[in-house]
Amino acid sequence: MIDHIDSLLDQAIAYADQQLEDGGDDLVDGFKYKYKFPRDELTAYDEIANGQHNLIEMHEDAHGQRGIYAKCDIIAGTWVAISQPIVAYWDVETKEGKETAREMVQEKADDIGDNDDDGDDNRTTLRDTYIEGSLILRALEKIQSSPFTWEILQHLYPRDVKTASALPPWVCDDASTGQKVEKQMKGLHKLSLFPSDQNETICNEIALLLPLMVRYNAFIVETSSELFVYTELKE
């Protein structure tokens, strides 16, 4: 089976190379790269939630935390599920990521080393509040174009106002991005995306829950699968 993660990274490097050749400094502002996910191979959420998957199932643990569990012994290297992110943010969209892209392109061209992790490898997704804010804005765009997206997002933690209210509030360190998020949230109810008798309530829930959903559920595409293998990890 094709390794889709390697394919994704190869395409990202190829795109960065092209952008650097065509414009260089436009790599951040002119970013238009979109990876084509293998839709015919995607694992349906209901397949896991309803117990139809052969290898894994979804249920709550003794503490009420919902997770995915193996239904049987699984041989290492087995493809368990293929999923597509609702929204994504790529390293090469940031100025720091642009420099990383240059390094990746050069490394790819020179065939250097075996990519050992030396502690300074910054090819992982930047996880600061600026990027979280960007993901929130993109999720809001998805909701605005397709309100059903919110029903999908509601499967993520925290799933209710009571739980979210007990968590530290999300604050964006980047003032500009934070203002954009606040503006979008405040104007959401004016779009009348939901039934009139529920519209304001749902929009208020989105304003509270969505930033926290991004905070607790955004993963690095290269390493996210490890979180499901090494369950003792707390972050």
Side-chain angles (χ1 to χ4, degrees):
M1 181 177 287
I2 299 173
D3 188 331
H4 297 294
I5 292 180
D6 283 348
S7 174
L8 184 154
L9 295 175
D10 287 343
Q11 289 188 49
I13 291 173
Y15 179 83
D17 193 9
Q18 176 186 340
Q19 289 289 82
L20 290 169
E21 288 182 1
D22 293 345
D25 293 336
D26 296 329
L27 183 59
V28 176
D29 297 333
F31 191 85
K32 297 178 181 178
Y33 170 78
K34 291 186 178 179
Y35 177 72
K36 301 296 183 182
F37 286 85
R39 292 185 178 277
D40 60 327
E41 299 180 32
L42 293 178
T43 306
Y45 169 81
D46 289 341
E47 182 181 346
I48 302 174
N50 296 335
Q52 300 171 0
H53 197 285
N54 293 329
L55 301 176
I56 55 178
E57 61 184 352
M58 184 182 299
H59 60 77
E60 293 186 354
D61 62 16
H63 304 287
Q65 299 297 318
R66 185 166 59 177
I68 295 177
Y69 298 85
K71 298 171 70 173
C72 60
D73 291 339
I74 302 175
I75 299 175
T78 300
W79 282 96
V80 175
I82 300 175
S83 62
Q84 178 176 353
I86 296 174
V87 291
Y89 193 96
W90 306 90
D91 280 353
V92 290
E93 294 185 71
T94 65
K95 293 180 180 179
E96 295 83 358
K98 182 172 67 172
E99 294 305 316
T100 301
R102 294 180 189 277
E103 297 172 5
M104 293 174 71
V105 169
Q106 185 61 47
E107 180 174 322
K108 192 76 173 181
D110 297 341
D111 292 325
I112 297 176
D114 57 2
N115 292 330
D116 285 343
D117 184 1
D118 59 3
D120 294 323
D121 191 342
N122 60 353
R123 278 170 285 181
T124 55
T125 304
L126 303 176
R127 298 293 304 277
D128 56 19
T129 56
Y130 166 76
I131 292 182
E132 289 177 353
S134 299
L135 287 170
I136 293 169
L137 290 171
R138 292 180 184 184
L140 284 171
E141 289 179 6
K142 286 266 189 172
I143 293 171
Q144 291 172 19
S145 62
S146 176
F148 177 71
T149 302
W150 179 238
E151 291 189 32
I152 299 174
L153 287 167
Q154 283 182 295
H155 293 299
L156 300 176
Y157 174 87
R159 290 180 285 277
D160 56 72
V161 172
K162 181 179 180 181
T163 302
S165 299
L167 298 170
W170 180 81
V171 179
C172 188
D173 294 332
D174 181 76
S176 176
T177 302
Q179 290 172 359
K180 291 178 182 178
V181 171
E182 184 178 3
K183 181 179 179 180
Q184 289 291 322
M185 291 296 190
K186 286 184 176 180
L188 195 61
H189 72 280
K190 298 179 182 178
L191 301 177
S192 300
L193 299 173
F194 308 100
S196 57
D197 59 333
Q198 304 175 39
N199 185 64
E200 188 170 353
T201 298
I202 293 176
C203 290
N204 289 337
E205 289 179 354
I206 292 174
L208 174 64
L209 297 174
L210 183 58
L212 298 175
M213 288 174 174
V214 170
R215 175 201 283 168
Y216 293 111
N217 295 281
F219 294 117
I220 299 170
V221 67
E222 293 174 86
T223 59
S224 59
S225 58
E226 294 179 9
L227 298 179
F228 298 100
V229 177
Y230 303 103
T231 55
E232 72 275 7
L233 293 179
K234 300 302 181 182
E235 299 180 0

